Amino acid sequence: MTAADLIDLRPVLWLLLTGAALAALPLTWLLRRHRQASPAQRRHALALLTAVLTFDLIVFGAYTRLSDSGLGCPDWPGCYASASPVGAHAQIGQAQQAHPTGPVTHRKAWIEMIHRYLATGVGALITVLAFWHWRAWWQQRRHRRPAGPPAPEPGPVPTDAAPGWATLCLVWVGLQGAFGALTVTMKLYPAIVTLHLLGGIGLLALLCVQAARQQPLGQPSRPARVGAPGTTCRPAVQALLLLVIAQVMLGGWVSTNYAVLACDSFPHCRAGEAWPVMDFAAGFEWRRELGRQSGGEFLPFEALTAIHMAHRLGAVLVLGVLAWLSLHLLNAPDPGQRRAGRCLAALGSAQLLTGLSNVVLDWPLPSALAHTAGAALMVALLSTWLAAQPRPQGLGRQLAAGPAARVSADTP
């Protein structure tokens, strides 16, 4: 397959129809379940549902990568210019016969295409969500207009109808699709694959923020009932979220460079080597192909060791901040903060156990998937907590802003 054949748009229509059909299933369930709910409640429920399905997509994307199925279909968006591996049965069979353990097999092709179908379905749900918000926003502006002149200045749009977050998610998922195409056409270029993972995590965080900030007016915040840390801990939660995102990037760099097994023991990297020889310059060179240096030479083992050890050191920092914040919340007088502390401690413990098992148990697939899921869940939880809590304001600023301005303060 030549470079010109890597992108073939002939199956786009069928892929879009498949994604729309997949999106119709949860959307129909949501409309039936919330048939007595208000439009604002339905939009909020769809944001939550899309966030859950995005989390599932991130985990399945990790499975696609860890099962070496990222090039199961070597072109984009279809599979050998077909909408499914069924239409490419002959081509896949030839590739599998030539290289039985290579990147293209029938099983890997199905895994890769299912991932694309699910991603298209999530994109369709985000499109519906943006349409609903823009429709509600337009209806509210139209109903606010008086019958005759003069027309007053339009007031702030209520939080539950503000289309900004939904539009941002729609733009983001489009960029994520572009990175998905580059992942295939650039043959698993490590920097692109890592950015694709970060894009999925970022999309999940945006959907969680949207669901938390665009609660139907007059309803209590769900994250507050779960136990949000509160405004006093906001700087610490922000710092922890940034550290977790940086650690996710390091973890993605470890996974995309297959550096997990560069160290096979704990707490030492290897038996008798607490601080092994490492090549950070080669390991963290972004402009290079998989397994190669920028000059085309093979990536040295010391570079893989540096990648692995950087992720370990980052984990120490993240777990330290997480432990401090968890203890602070566990000792707080508010029951909601204590619940938040227990939740953080449980997530941190699970991440530590799954990370260790990846090393000492020779990178088992369930543990690797659980580690990715835990990282995504932590980002989702911290993002929701931050979005659910109002920004601290002085009393004079609050009085000057008025209730209408405070309602719209959370719109992007």
PDB file of all heavy atoms in Angstrom, residues 334-364:
ATOM      1  N   ASP A 334     -16.169  18.272  57.373  1.00  0.00           N
ATOM      2  CA  ASP A 334     -17.311  18.075  56.481  1.00  0.00           C
ATOM      3  C   ASP A 334     -17.363  16.626  55.985  1.00  0.00           C
ATOM      4  O   ASP A 334     -16.349  16.100  55.487  1.00  0.00           O
ATOM      5  CB  ASP A 334     -17.200  19.015  55.282  1.00  0.00           C
ATOM      6  CG  ASP A 334     -18.370  18.868  54.335  1.00  0.00           C
ATOM      7  OD1 ASP A 334     -19.509  19.106  54.743  1.00  0.00           O
ATOM      8  OD2 ASP A 334     -18.126  18.479  53.171  1.00  0.00           O
ATOM      9  N   PRO A 335     -18.507  15.922  56.088  1.00  0.00           N
ATOM     10  CA  PRO A 335     -18.597  14.527  55.613  1.00  0.00           C
ATOM     11  C   PRO A 335     -18.327  14.390  54.115  1.00  0.00           C
ATOM     12  O   PRO A 335     -17.756  13.385  53.676  1.00  0.00           O
ATOM     13  CB  PRO A 335     -20.028  14.125  55.963  1.00  0.00           C
ATOM     14  CG  PRO A 335     -20.462  15.083  57.025  1.00  0.00           C
ATOM     15  CD  PRO A 335     -19.747  16.355  56.742  1.00  0.00           C
ATOM     16  N   GLY A 336     -18.728  15.390  53.326  1.00  0.00           N
ATOM     17  CA  GLY A 336     -18.485  15.324  51.891  1.00  0.00           C
ATOM     18  C   GLY A 336     -17.005  15.341  51.570  1.00  0.00           C
ATOM     19  O   GLY A 336     -16.538  14.623  50.682  1.00  0.00           O
ATOM     20  N   GLN A 337     -16.239  16.147  52.297  1.00  0.00           N
ATOM     21  CA  GLN A 337     -14.798  16.175  52.069  1.00  0.00           C
ATOM     22  C   GLN A 337     -14.143  14.872  52.502  1.00  0.00           C
ATOM     23  O   GLN A 337     -13.192  14.409  51.877  1.00  0.00           O
ATOM     24  CB  GLN A 337     -14.177  17.359  52.817  1.00  0.00           C
ATOM     25  CG  GLN A 337     -14.591  18.709  52.245  1.00  0.00           C
ATOM     26  CD  GLN A 337     -13.778  19.848  52.823  1.00  0.00           C
ATOM     27  OE1 GLN A 337     -12.915  19.642  53.658  1.00  0.00           O
ATOM     28  NE2 GLN A 337     -14.060  21.058  52.368  1.00  0.00           N
ATOM     29  N   ARG A 338     -14.654  14.274  53.560  1.00  0.00           N
ATOM     30  CA  ARG A 338     -14.093  12.979  53.980  1.00  0.00           C
ATOM     31  C   ARG A 338     -14.374  11.904  52.938  1.00  0.00           C
ATOM     32  O   ARG A 338     -13.530  11.044  52.672  1.00  0.00           O
ATOM     33  CB  ARG A 338     -14.657  12.580  55.341  1.00  0.00           C
ATOM     34  CG  ARG A 338     -14.175  13.476  56.483  1.00  0.00           C
ATOM     35  CD  ARG A 338     -14.416  12.815  57.833  1.00  0.00           C
ATOM     36  NE  ARG A 338     -15.826  12.614  58.107  1.00  0.00           N
ATOM     37  CZ  ARG A 338     -16.607  13.500  58.704  1.00  0.00           C
ATOM     38  NH1 ARG A 338     -16.102  14.675  59.099  1.00  0.00           N
ATOM     39  NH2 ARG A 338     -17.877  13.252  58.927  1.00  0.00           N
ATOM     40  N   ARG A 339     -15.556  11.954  52.325  1.00  0.00           N
ATOM     41  CA  ARG A 339     -15.859  11.006  51.244  1.00  0.00           C
ATOM     42  C   ARG A 339     -14.920  11.226  50.059  1.00  0.00           C
ATOM     43  O   ARG A 339     -14.444  10.268  49.439  1.00  0.00           O
ATOM     44  CB  ARG A 339     -17.313  11.149  50.793  1.00  0.00           C
ATOM     45  CG  ARG A 339     -18.334  10.576  51.763  1.00  0.00           C
ATOM     46  CD  ARG A 339     -19.694  10.438  51.096  1.00  0.00           C
ATOM     47  NE  ARG A 339     -20.235  11.728  50.710  1.00  0.00           N
ATOM     48  CZ  ARG A 339     -20.991  12.493  51.498  1.00  0.00           C
ATOM     49  NH1 ARG A 339     -21.269  12.092  52.742  1.00  0.00           N
ATOM     50  NH2 ARG A 339     -21.470  13.649  51.081  1.00  0.00           N
ATOM     51  N   ALA A 340     -14.657  12.492  49.761  1.00  0.00           N
ATOM     52  CA  ALA A 340     -13.724  12.799  48.671  1.00  0.00           C
ATOM     53  C   ALA A 340     -12.327  12.262  48.981  1.00  0.00           C
ATOM     54  O   ALA A 340     -11.638  11.743  48.100  1.00  0.00           O
ATOM     55  CB  ALA A 340     -13.679  14.309  48.437  1.00  0.00           C
ATOM     56  N   GLY A 341     -11.905  12.389  50.233  1.00  0.00           N
ATOM     57  CA  GLY A 341     -10.602  11.862  50.623  1.00  0.00           C
ATOM     58  C   GLY A 341     -10.516  10.359  50.473  1.00  0.00           C
ATOM     59  O   GLY A 341      -9.501   9.825  49.997  1.00  0.00           O
ATOM     60  N   ARG A 342     -11.576   9.652  50.867  1.00  0.00           N
ATOM     61  CA  ARG A 342     -11.579   8.192  50.716  1.00  0.00           C
ATOM     62  C   ARG A 342     -11.553   7.795  49.257  1.00  0.00           C
ATOM     63  O   ARG A 342     -10.876   6.827  48.861  1.00  0.00           O
ATOM     64  CB  ARG A 342     -12.806   7.603  51.410  1.00  0.00           C
ATOM     65  CG  ARG A 342     -12.752   7.669  52.930  1.00  0.00           C
ATOM     66  CD  ARG A 342     -13.820   6.795  53.552  1.00  0.00           C
ATOM     67  NE  ARG A 342     -15.160   7.282  53.260  1.00  0.00           N
ATOM     68  CZ  ARG A 342     -15.835   8.139  54.020  1.00  0.00           C
ATOM     69  NH1 ARG A 342     -15.280   8.623  55.124  1.00  0.00           N
ATOM     70  NH2 ARG A 342     -17.049   8.534  53.698  1.00  0.00           N
ATOM     71  N   CYS A 343     -12.274   8.547  48.429  1.00  0.00           N
ATOM     72  CA  CYS A 343     -12.302   8.241  46.998  1.00  0.00           C
ATOM     73  C   CYS A 343     -10.924   8.443  46.375  1.00  0.00           C
ATOM     74  O   CYS A 343     -10.450   7.600  45.597  1.00  0.00           O
ATOM     75  CB  CYS A 343     -13.343   9.126  46.316  1.00  0.00           C
ATOM     76  SG  CYS A 343     -13.619   8.740  44.573  1.00  0.00           S
ATOM     77  N   LEU A 344     -10.257   9.553  46.722  1.00  0.00           N
ATOM     78  CA  LEU A 344      -8.925   9.808  46.196  1.00  0.00           C
ATOM     79  C   LEU A 344      -7.936   8.738  46.649  1.00  0.00           C
ATOM     80  O   LEU A 344      -7.112   8.258  45.873  1.00  0.00           O
ATOM     81  CB  LEU A 344      -8.434  11.175  46.654  1.00  0.00           C
ATOM     82  CG  LEU A 344      -8.681  12.375  45.745  1.00  0.00           C
ATOM     83  CD1 LEU A 344      -8.055  13.616  46.350  1.00  0.00           C
ATOM     84  CD2 LEU A 344      -8.147  12.136  44.347  1.00  0.00           C
ATOM     85  N   ALA A 345      -8.016   8.369  47.928  1.00  0.00           N
ATOM     86  CA  ALA A 345      -7.098   7.355  48.447  1.00  0.00           C
ATOM     87  C   ALA A 345      -7.299   6.020  47.745  1.00  0.00           C
ATOM     88  O   ALA A 345      -6.335   5.317  47.430  1.00  0.00           O
ATOM     89  CB  ALA A 345      -7.299   7.204  49.961  1.00  0.00           C
ATOM     90  N   ALA A 346      -8.564   5.658  47.492  1.00  0.00           N
ATOM     91  CA  ALA A 346      -8.839   4.388  46.805  1.00  0.00           C
ATOM     92  C   ALA A 346      -8.292   4.409  45.382  1.00  0.00           C
ATOM     93  O   ALA A 346      -7.687   3.430  44.913  1.00  0.00           O
ATOM     94  CB  ALA A 346     -10.340   4.116  46.802  1.00  0.00           C
ATOM     95  N   LEU A 347      -8.487   5.523  44.672  1.00  0.00           N
ATOM     96  CA  LEU A 347      -7.986   5.616  43.303  1.00  0.00           C
ATOM     97  C   LEU A 347      -6.454   5.566  43.263  1.00  0.00           C
ATOM     98  O   LEU A 347      -5.864   4.882  42.422  1.00  0.00           O
ATOM     99  CB  LEU A 347      -8.477   6.911  42.655  1.00  0.00           C
ATOM    100  CG  LEU A 347      -9.833   6.869  41.954  1.00  0.00           C
ATOM    101  CD1 LEU A 347     -10.204   8.255  41.459  1.00  0.00           C
ATOM    102  CD2 LEU A 347      -9.818   5.881  40.815  1.00  0.00           C
ATOM    103  N   GLY A 348      -5.828   6.296  44.186  1.00  0.00           N
ATOM    104  CA  GLY A 348      -4.368   6.279  44.220  1.00  0.00           C
ATOM    105  C   GLY A 348      -3.816   4.903  44.530  1.00  0.00           C
ATOM    106  O   GLY A 348      -2.832   4.466  43.921  1.00  0.00           O
ATOM    107  N   SER A 349      -4.457   4.194  45.459  1.00  0.00           N
ATOM    108  CA  SER A 349      -4.006   2.841  45.797  1.00  0.00           C
ATOM    109  C   SER A 349      -4.158   1.902  44.610  1.00  0.00           C
ATOM    110  O   SER A 349      -3.278   1.072  44.334  1.00  0.00           O
ATOM    111  CB  SER A 349      -4.795   2.319  47.004  1.00  0.00           C
ATOM    112  OG  SER A 349      -4.613   3.154  48.135  1.00  0.00           O
ATOM    113  N   ALA A 350      -5.287   2.021  43.909  1.00  0.00           N
ATOM    114  CA  ALA A 350      -5.509   1.165  42.743  1.00  0.00           C
ATOM    115  C   ALA A 350      -4.479   1.436  41.656  1.00  0.00           C
ATOM    116  O   ALA A 350      -3.955   0.504  41.027  1.00  0.00           O
ATOM    117  CB  ALA A 350      -6.924   1.380  42.207  1.00  0.00           C
ATOM    118  N   GLN A 351      -4.151   2.714  41.429  1.00  0.00           N
ATOM    119  CA  GLN A 351      -3.145   3.036  40.423  1.00  0.00           C
ATOM    120  C   GLN A 351      -1.776   2.490  40.802  1.00  0.00           C
ATOM    121  O   GLN A 351      -1.031   2.003  39.946  1.00  0.00           O
ATOM    122  CB  GLN A 351      -3.066   4.556  40.237  1.00  0.00           C
ATOM    123  CG  GLN A 351      -4.193   5.137  39.399  1.00  0.00           C
ATOM    124  CD  GLN A 351      -4.234   4.564  37.999  1.00  0.00           C
ATOM    125  OE1 GLN A 351      -4.932   3.570  37.737  1.00  0.00           O
ATOM    126  NE2 GLN A 351      -3.505   5.166  37.091  1.00  0.00           N
ATOM    127  N   LEU A 352      -1.447   2.561  42.081  1.00  0.00           N
ATOM    128  CA  LEU A 352      -0.160   2.024  42.530  1.00  0.00           C
ATOM    129  C   LEU A 352      -0.097   0.516  42.316  1.00  0.00           C
ATOM    130  O   LEU A 352       0.902  -0.011  41.803  1.00  0.00           O
ATOM    131  CB  LEU A 352       0.053   2.357  44.003  1.00  0.00           C
ATOM    132  CG  LEU A 352       1.336   1.813  44.647  1.00  0.00           C
ATOM    133  CD1 LEU A 352       2.566   2.355  43.941  1.00  0.00           C
ATOM    134  CD2 LEU A 352       1.371   2.145  46.138  1.00  0.00           C
ATOM    135  N   LEU A 353      -1.168  -0.194  42.659  1.00  0.00           N
ATOM    136  CA  LEU A 353      -1.175  -1.651  42.514  1.00  0.00           C
ATOM    137  C   LEU A 353      -1.118  -2.078  41.050  1.00  0.00           C
ATOM    138  O   LEU A 353      -0.363  -2.988  40.685  1.00  0.00           O
ATOM    139  CB  LEU A 353      -2.419  -2.232  43.190  1.00  0.00           C
ATOM    140  CG  LEU A 353      -2.447  -2.157  44.721  1.00  0.00           C
ATOM    141  CD1 LEU A 353      -3.780  -2.653  45.256  1.00  0.00           C
ATOM    142  CD2 LEU A 353      -1.300  -2.962  45.316  1.00  0.00           C
ATOM    143  N   THR A 354      -1.905  -1.429  40.198  1.00  0.00           N
ATOM    144  CA  THR A 354      -1.892  -1.809  38.785  1.00  0.00           C
ATOM    145  C   THR A 354      -0.569  -1.441  38.122  1.00  0.00           C
ATOM    146  O   THR A 354      -0.065  -2.172  37.257  1.00  0.00           O
ATOM    147  CB  THR A 354      -3.047  -1.149  38.021  1.00  0.00           C
ATOM    148  OG1 THR A 354      -3.020   0.278  38.228  1.00  0.00           O
ATOM    149  CG2 THR A 354      -4.389  -1.691  38.507  1.00  0.00           C
ATOM    150  N   GLY A 355       0.028  -0.305  38.538  1.00  0.00           N
ATOM    151  CA  GLY A 355       1.329   0.054  37.990  1.00  0.00           C
ATOM    152  C   GLY A 355       2.418  -0.933  38.375  1.00  0.00           C
ATOM    153  O   GLY A 355       3.239  -1.327  37.540  1.00  0.00           O
ATOM    154  N   LEU A 356       2.416  -1.359  39.636  1.00  0.00           N
ATOM    155  CA  LEU A 356       3.394  -2.348  40.077  1.00  0.00           C
ATOM    156  C   LEU A 356       3.189  -3.688  39.379  1.00  0.00           C
ATOM    157  O   LEU A 356       4.154  -4.360  38.992  1.00  0.00           O
ATOM    158  CB  LEU A 356       3.319  -2.529  41.591  1.00  0.00           C
ATOM    159  CG  LEU A 356       3.810  -1.359  42.446  1.00  0.00           C
ATOM    160  CD1 LEU A 356       3.610  -1.661  43.922  1.00  0.00           C
ATOM    161  CD2 LEU A 356       5.262  -1.054  42.156  1.00  0.00           C
ATOM    162  N   SER A 357       1.943  -4.082  39.207  1.00  0.00           N
ATOM    163  CA  SER A 357       1.682  -5.379  38.566  1.00  0.00           C
ATOM    164  C   SER A 357       2.116  -5.368  37.109  1.00  0.00           C
ATOM    165  O   SER A 357       2.513  -6.405  36.564  1.00  0.00           O
ATOM    166  CB  SER A 357       0.196  -5.734  38.678  1.00  0.00           C
ATOM    167  OG  SER A 357      -0.605  -4.783  37.997  1.00  0.00           O
ATOM    168  N   ASN A 358       2.058  -4.220  36.456  1.00  0.00           N
ATOM    169  CA  ASN A 358       2.556  -4.140  35.078  1.00  0.00           C
ATOM    170  C   ASN A 358       4.035  -4.493  35.002  1.00  0.00           C
ATOM    171  O   ASN A 358       4.499  -5.086  34.024  1.00  0.00           O
ATOM    172  CB  ASN A 358       2.343  -2.734  34.525  1.00  0.00           C
ATOM    173  CG  ASN A 358       0.913  -2.486  34.088  1.00  0.00           C
ATOM    174  OD1 ASN A 358       0.194  -3.412  33.745  1.00  0.00           O
ATOM    175  ND2 ASN A 358       0.494  -1.240  34.132  1.00  0.00           N
ATOM    176  N   VAL A 359       4.790  -4.148  36.053  1.00  0.00           N
ATOM    177  CA  VAL A 359       6.231  -4.389  36.060  1.00  0.00           C
ATOM    178  C   VAL A 359       6.550  -5.812  36.496  1.00  0.00           C
ATOM    179  O   VAL A 359       7.240  -6.563  35.802  1.00  0.00           O
ATOM    180  CB  VAL A 359       6.940  -3.368  36.973  1.00  0.00           C
ATOM    181  CG1 VAL A 359       8.430  -3.691  37.085  1.00  0.00           C
ATOM    182  CG2 VAL A 359       6.748  -1.956  36.436  1.00  0.00           C
ATOM    183  N   VAL A 360       6.036  -6.196  37.659  1.00  0.00           N
ATOM    184  CA  VAL A 360       6.449  -7.478  38.250  1.00  0.00           C
ATOM    185  C   VAL A 360       5.734  -8.669  37.623  1.00  0.00           C
ATOM    186  O   VAL A 360       6.197  -9.804  37.740  1.00  0.00           O
ATOM    187  CB  VAL A 360       6.225  -7.463  39.774  1.00  0.00           C
ATOM    188  CG1 VAL A 360       7.023  -6.350  40.415  1.00  0.00           C
ATOM    189  CG2 VAL A 360       4.740  -7.316  40.126  1.00  0.00           C
ATOM    190  N   LEU A 361       4.598  -8.450  36.948  1.00  0.00           N
ATOM    191  CA  LEU A 361       3.854  -9.554  36.324  1.00  0.00           C
ATOM    192  C   LEU A 361       4.012  -9.570  34.811  1.00  0.00           C
ATOM    193  O   LEU A 361       3.211 -10.199  34.114  1.00  0.00           O
ATOM    194  CB  LEU A 361       2.372  -9.479  36.697  1.00  0.00           C
ATOM    195  CG  LEU A 361       2.050  -9.605  38.186  1.00  0.00           C
ATOM    196  CD1 LEU A 361       0.545  -9.498  38.408  1.00  0.00           C
ATOM    197  CD2 LEU A 361       2.574 -10.918  38.755  1.00  0.00           C
ATOM    198  N   ASP A 362       5.009  -8.862  34.292  1.00  0.00           N
ATOM    199  CA  ASP A 362       5.323  -8.899  32.864  1.00  0.00           C
ATOM    200  C   ASP A 362       4.204  -8.301  32.012  1.00  0.00           C
ATOM    201  O   ASP A 362       3.818  -8.859  30.995  1.00  0.00           O
ATOM    202  CB  ASP A 362       5.631 -10.339  32.427  1.00  0.00           C
ATOM    203  CG  ASP A 362       6.375 -10.398  31.103  1.00  0.00           C
ATOM    204  OD1 ASP A 362       7.015  -9.389  30.746  1.00  0.00           O
ATOM    205  OD2 ASP A 362       6.316 -11.447  30.436  1.00  0.00           O
ATOM    206  N   TRP A 363       3.684  -7.146  32.455  1.00  0.00           N
ATOM    207  CA  TRP A 363       2.750  -6.345  31.652  1.00  0.00           C
ATOM    208  C   TRP A 363       1.491  -7.121  31.233  1.00  0.00           C
ATOM    209  O   TRP A 363       1.193  -7.239  30.052  1.00  0.00           O
ATOM    210  CB  TRP A 363       3.479  -5.819  30.427  1.00  0.00           C
ATOM    211  CG  TRP A 363       2.873  -4.569  29.845  1.00  0.00           C
ATOM    212  CD1 TRP A 363       1.949  -3.750  30.394  1.00  0.00           C
ATOM    213  CD2 TRP A 363       3.173  -3.999  28.557  1.00  0.00           C
ATOM    214  NE1 TRP A 363       1.662  -2.702  29.569  1.00  0.00           N
ATOM    215  CE2 TRP A 363       2.396  -2.830  28.426  1.00  0.00           C
ATOM    216  CE3 TRP A 363       4.022  -4.359  27.526  1.00  0.00           C
ATOM    217  CZ2 TRP A 363       2.455  -2.027  27.298  1.00  0.00           C
ATOM    218  CZ3 TRP A 363       4.068  -3.547  26.409  1.00  0.00           C
ATOM    219  CH2 TRP A 363       3.296  -2.400  26.287  1.00  0.00           C
ATOM    220  N   PRO A 364       0.713  -7.651  32.189  1.00  0.00           N
ATOM    221  CA  PRO A 364      -0.516  -8.342  31.797  1.00  0.00           C
ATOM    222  C   PRO A 364      -1.543  -7.357  31.251  1.00  0.00           C
ATOM    223  O   PRO A 364      -1.664  -6.219  31.747  1.00  0.00           O
ATOM    224  CB  PRO A 364      -0.995  -8.961  33.114  1.00  0.00           C
ATOM    225  CG  PRO A 364      -0.396  -8.110  34.178  1.00  0.00           C
ATOM    226  CD  PRO A 364       0.917  -7.625  33.642  1.00  0.00           C
TER     227      PRO A 364
END
